[in-house]
Amino acid sequence: MKTLPIQIRIDPALYTKDPESSELGKKIVSQSIQLIDELGFEGFTFKKLGAKIGSNESSIYRYFDSKHALLVYLLNWYWSWVSYRLAVATTNVPPSEEKLTNAIGILTAKIKKDQTISFVNEEMLQRIIITESSKAYHTKDVDKENEKGFYRTYKSVVQKVSDMVLELNPNYEFPHMLISTVIEGAHHQHYFSQHLPSLTDVEIGKNNIVRFYKDLVLSSIR
Amino acid sequence: MKTLPIQIRIDPALYTKDPESSELGKKIVSQSIQLIDELGFEGFTFKKLGAKIGSNESSIYRYFDSKHALLVYLLNWYWSWVSYRLAVATTNVPPSEEKLTNAIGILTAKIKKDQTISFVNEEMLQRIIITESSKAYHTKDVDKENEKGFYRTYKSVVQKVSDMVLELNPNYEFPHMLISTVIEGAHHQHYFSQHLPSLTDVEIGKNNIVRFYKDLVLSSIR
DNA sequence: TATTTATTGATAGTATTACTATTACTTTTG
DNA sequence: CAAAAGTAATAGTAATACTATCAATAAATA
């Protein structure tokens, strides 16, 4: 687990105590990812996490107010990381269809093993995001949480890629809908391919999800 | 509340006792829709529902094994109803872009008041589907439930509209991904327009969600 | 080195949830 | 009228999602 000098900055509003500030905090984050992946978000509890990391439920509550708060933290971590990868792939690249499809690739492709840049297993985290992330904002408290900036990172990713759409076609009417449709759609397609395959057209080794969304975006804005 | 002679058939695997077979059963369904709409699925309990309909928690359990089972029932009710509306709009209509865009309209438009064909308030039900339906299949038990046919109605709607896509372009590679992307996407856009508007391009009175998805589909398959 | 201070652990407790089980009452039907 | 079916009321259970308190220990500082 090598740590490259990459900054994944998380808004302090998203935790009670910064999990990056201690070994316990990092364990909480990394092991919660494993446990949510294993049990699903509903089956996951702080008590079980405490047992897994040899710590106490009450200690975990010092870092996160609730398991929902932890999920929102993970969501922001994921989108910060995507944002970083988008920046690497597109800054100072002149507007072109290639630039945009590279971005779409980042938004829609499955992560391969060993991209780990820190204590977070990104492959597993993406699996959680695919399966559980919509539960983070399908809550009675969305509006309050949105005001507190809980979804800022996600919204900024959508904004960035929407801007690339407008670079290519300044008259395109629906850039945000297009990109948020692609992002959420790709999550659904990855999930469906595992569990409800008749809702997809996935074939092994053909990378159809990425191909589909690249084609969708280009044909819509051309 | 006029009742037209329309059959919304629900697979008996989806309930313990048929809620359409008694007044209590119908109350359970119609009032649960109101209560889920009001409290959100997490805040909704059978105890609260019992209080609301002047009945007992234990009586509700005779109709549905769990609140999750009730949600799955509502999901199937909704998709049966959409299926019926699709059939009305498209059977014996020759293949054409208009036929397909009519179908897309049914999948993506917000329901207006007073389409009520039975004891179910479809406008409210659609709001629940938009907000809560993804929770029905983002569960550790998806695979088991899928085998039992819990998602059959949804899958059949996707299949029907995918077939319309293939009528227009038999060589299109991704009809199922396209249609499931449209359906889930439209739900997200309706939800985002209320709660995270920067992820959309909704303007009042311009029907942008429907226009966006019709355009998306046609430009993809042409 | 002594002493605050911060951090973690352990234990206990609470209200609520998502049920199950039992019994009794009431309504329908044959 | 009696049997059967349906419903209501009550009680109980294990687990969840916390909160509160206090002791133990490690780290920081005076």
Side-chain angles (χ1 to χ4, degrees):
Chain A
M1 188 155 93
K2 63 182 170 200
T3 302
L4 297 178
I6 291 161
Q7 286 269 34
I8 301 290
R9 279 235 156 280
I10 306 293
D11 183 340
L14 298 173
Y15 48 74
T16 309
K17 180 180 159 71
D18 186 357
E20 301 215 34
S21 70
S22 73
E23 281 311 307
L24 177 62
K26 286 178 214 167
K27 260 194 201 170
I28 288 172
V29 171
S30 67
Q31 300 295 300
S32 71
I33 293 171
Q34 289 193 31
L35 206 55
I36 293 172
D37 189 40
E38 185 184 326
L39 305 174
F41 188 64
E42 283 71 34
F44 168 83
T45 71
F46 279 2
K47 197 165 196 174
K48 289 174 191 167
L49 178 59
K52 187 184 174 80
I53 65 183
S55 180
N56 196 274
E57 205 189 350
S58 60
S59 303
I60 300 167
Y61 275 102
R62 281 196 200 91
Y63 288 82
F64 295 102
D65 271 352
S66 64
K67 68 174 186 170
H68 176 257
L70 172 56
L71 181 63
V72 171
Y73 178 92
L74 294 177
L75 192 73
N76 276 274
W77 204 101
Y78 179 78
W79 289 116
S80 293
W81 177 65
V82 169
S83 200
Y84 161 77
R85 290 196 300 143
L86 274 176
V88 169
T90 62
T91 27
N92 300 322
V93 175
S96 65
E97 291 198 344
E98 205 198 335
K99 179 184 176 185
L100 179 59
T101 54
N102 280 345
I104 300 298
I106 288 170
L107 299 180
T108 58
K110 260 273 178 84
I111 298 304
K112 291 162 191 182
K113 277 183 222 289
D114 297 327
Q115 299 209 0
T116 298
I117 57 166
S118 71
F119 57 98
V120 169
N121 179 330
E122 286 87 4
E123 196 196 357
M124 232 177 230
L125 178 57
Q126 192 195 40
R127 218 149 51 215
I128 290 178
I129 297 303
I130 286 171
T131 310
E132 318 288 357
S133 71
S134 70
K135 296 171 190 170
Y137 48 79
H138 282 118
T139 310
K140 274 285 149 183
D141 300 320
V142 219
D143 299 331
K144 246 178 286 168
E145 299 192 340
N146 185 32
E147 274 179 38
K148 289 186 200 151
F150 282 27
Y151 310 109
R152 194 174 294 148
T153 324
Y154 178 37
K155 292 191 287 186
S156 100
V157 166
V158 171
Q159 187 58 53
K160 274 179 200 167
V161 186
S162 297
D163 288 342
M164 297 180 205
V165 167
L166 291 175
E167 279 173 358
L168 285 175
N169 178 355
N171 299 315
Y172 184 66
E173 255 186 294
F174 315 117
H176 303 89
M177 297 215 266
L178 182 62
I179 300 308
S180 59
T181 294
V182 166
I183 290 173
E184 298 290 340
H187 291 170
H188 277 107
Q189 297 306 318
H190 285 299
Y191 187 78
F192 291 158
S193 72
Q194 295 282 311
H195 302 292
L196 300 163
S198 68
L199 300 176
T200 72
D201 308 275
V202 169
E203 295 159 89
I204 34 162
K206 292 192 74 177
N207 212 16
N208 280 1
I209 295 177
V210 174
R211 288 204 300 128
F212 167 65
Y213 285 108
K214 284 183 178 177
D215 174 72
L216 190 83
V217 166
L218 292 182
S219 32
S220 292
I221 68 173
R222 280 205 274 242
Chain B
M1 188 155 91
K2 63 181 170 199
T3 302
L4 297 178
I6 291 160
Q7 286 269 35
I8 301 290
R9 280 235 157 279
I10 306 293
D11 183 341
L14 299 173
Y15 48 75
T16 309
K17 180 180 158 74
D18 186 358
E20 300 215 34
S21 71
S22 73
E23 281 311 306
L24 178 61
K26 285 178 214 167
K27 261 195 201 170
I28 289 172
V29 172
S30 66
Q31 301 294 299
S32 71
I33 293 171
Q34 287 193 31
L35 206 54
I36 294 172
D37 189 40
E38 184 184 328
L39 305 174
F41 187 65
E42 282 73 33
F44 168 84
T45 71
F46 279 3
K47 196 165 196 175
K48 290 175 191 167
L49 178 59
K52 187 184 173 82
I53 64 183
S55 180
N56 196 275
E57 205 190 350
S58 60
S59 304
I60 300 167
Y61 275 102
R62 277 197 209 89
Y63 288 83
F64 296 102
D65 270 352
S66 64
K67 69 174 187 168
H68 177 256
L70 172 55
L71 181 63
V72 171
Y73 177 91
L74 294 177
L75 192 74
N76 276 274
W77 205 102
Y78 179 79
W79 289 115
S80 294
W81 178 64
V82 169
S83 202
Y84 161 77
R85 290 195 301 142
L86 275 176
V88 169
T90 62
T91 27
N92 301 323
V93 176
S96 65
E97 292 197 345
E98 205 198 335
K99 178 184 175 185
L100 179 58
T101 55
N102 281 345
I104 300 298
I106 289 171
L107 299 180
T108 58
K110 260 270 177 86
I111 299 303
K112 292 162 190 182
K113 278 183 222 291
D114 297 327
Q115 300 209 359
T116 299
I117 57 166
S118 71
F119 58 98
V120 169
N121 179 331
E122 285 88 4
E123 196 197 357
M124 233 178 229
L125 178 58
Q126 193 196 38
R127 219 149 52 214
I128 290 177
I129 297 302
I130 286 171
T131 310
E132 317 289 357
S133 71
S134 71
K135 296 170 190 170
Y137 49 77
H138 282 117
T139 310
K140 274 285 150 185
D141 300 321
V142 220
D143 298 331
K144 246 178 285 169
E145 298 192 341
N146 185 33
E147 274 178 39
K148 289 186 201 150
F150 283 27
Y151 310 109
R152 194 175 295 148
T153 324
Y154 178 38
K155 292 190 287 186
S156 102
V157 165
V158 171
Q159 187 58 54
K160 275 179 200 167
V161 186
S162 297
D163 287 342
M164 296 180 205
V165 167
L166 291 175
E167 278 174 359
L168 285 176
N169 178 354
N171 298 314
Y172 185 66
E173 255 186 294
F174 315 117
H176 303 89
M177 296 215 265
L178 182 62
I179 299 308
S180 59
T181 293
V182 166
I183 290 174
E184 298 290 340
H187 290 171
H188 277 107
Q189 297 305 319
H190 285 298
Y191 187 79
F192 290 159
S193 72
Q194 296 282 310
H195 302 291
L196 300 162
S198 68
L199 299 177
T200 73
D201 307 276
V202 169
E203 296 159 87
I204 34 161
K206 291 191 75 177
N207 212 17
N208 280 2
I209 296 176
V210 175
R211 287 205 299 129
F212 167 65
Y213 285 108
K214 284 183 178 178
D215 174 72
L216 190 83
V217 167
L218 291 183
S219 32
S220 293
I221 68 174
R222 280 206 272 243

